[in-house]
Amino acid sequence: MNSLELAKRTLEEGGCTCVVAGGGEVIFTSRERGVKPLVEYCRRFGKEPPREAALADKVIGRAAALLAVLAGITELYAKVISVSALAELEKAGIPAGCEIKAEAIRNRAGDGLCPMERLSQGVTDPEEMLRRAEEFLAEMARKAP
């Protein structure tokens, strides 16, 4: 089984929201929502990501796609992916498959854009996207009860 198939199977069977596999083994899993897993993955692997890294995720918007580029992901599968995320992945030469292609990722209430989709607008540098995502997550943690 190749790394992408392993990541997809683990996503489905393991109750995960995000899985990265490489070299025939699962190297990262998360049950967190949003971009938090990819931010954590970028922090953990930093400047030396695994050479082969296949990502399977429940939802990939543009922000997550930029983080996947930064993380050195070589192929990707998402249950739901935005059109802008697909464009970023295509620019980076990362093949991506999906179940559902969405015009944009909506917020959890369904009444507007996902905060990360909004935050990624105008960003072209994956490092800048990581910085913005980290700031957003830190602010959300400060506001949490």
Side-chain angles (χ1 to χ4, degrees):
M1 173 180 310
N2 71 32
S3 294
L4 186 59
E5 290 302 318
L6 177 59
K8 285 170 66 175
R9 189 178 79 196
T10 305
L11 182 76
E12 294 296 325
E13 296 173 2
C16 300
T17 58
C18 177
V19 178
V20 179
E25 63 183 34
V26 173
I27 54 178
F28 177 84
T29 63
S30 180
R31 287 186 168 83
E32 297 282 346
R33 296 172 74 173
V35 298
K36 195 172 184 179
L38 284 173
V39 168
E40 181 183 336
Y41 183 85
C42 287
R43 285 181 187 149
R44 188 179 299 175
F45 291 97
K47 302 285 184 197
E48 297 182 24
R51 287 183 62 212
E52 175 197 341
L55 168 66
D57 201 301
K58 287 196 171 198
V59 179
I60 296 287
R62 187 169 182 275
L66 287 166
L67 294 175
V69 170
L70 181 63
I73 298 301
T74 55
E75 57 184 334
L76 182 146
Y77 162 81
K79 287 184 175 253
V80 178
I81 194 165
S82 72
V83 171
S84 60
L86 282 169
E88 289 299 330
L89 294 167
E90 186 176 323
K91 272 196 280 187
I94 300 172
C98 66
E99 285 183 29
I100 299 169
K101 191 185 311 183
E103 196 57 40
I105 304 302
R106 309 290 292 169
N107 63 23
R108 292 186 183 138
D111 59 3
L113 279 182
C114 161
M116 284 293 120
E117 284 282 91
R118 276 197 321 272
L119 200 59
S120 74
Q121 291 177 342
V123 177
T124 57
D125 178 26
E127 291 276 353
E128 172 67 12
M129 189 67 249
L130 177 60
R131 186 187 64 70
R132 287 185 181 200
E134 287 174 329
E135 288 173 0
F136 177 84
L137 293 172
E139 181 63 26
M140 295 307 293
R142 280 191 292 276
K143 290 180 179 179

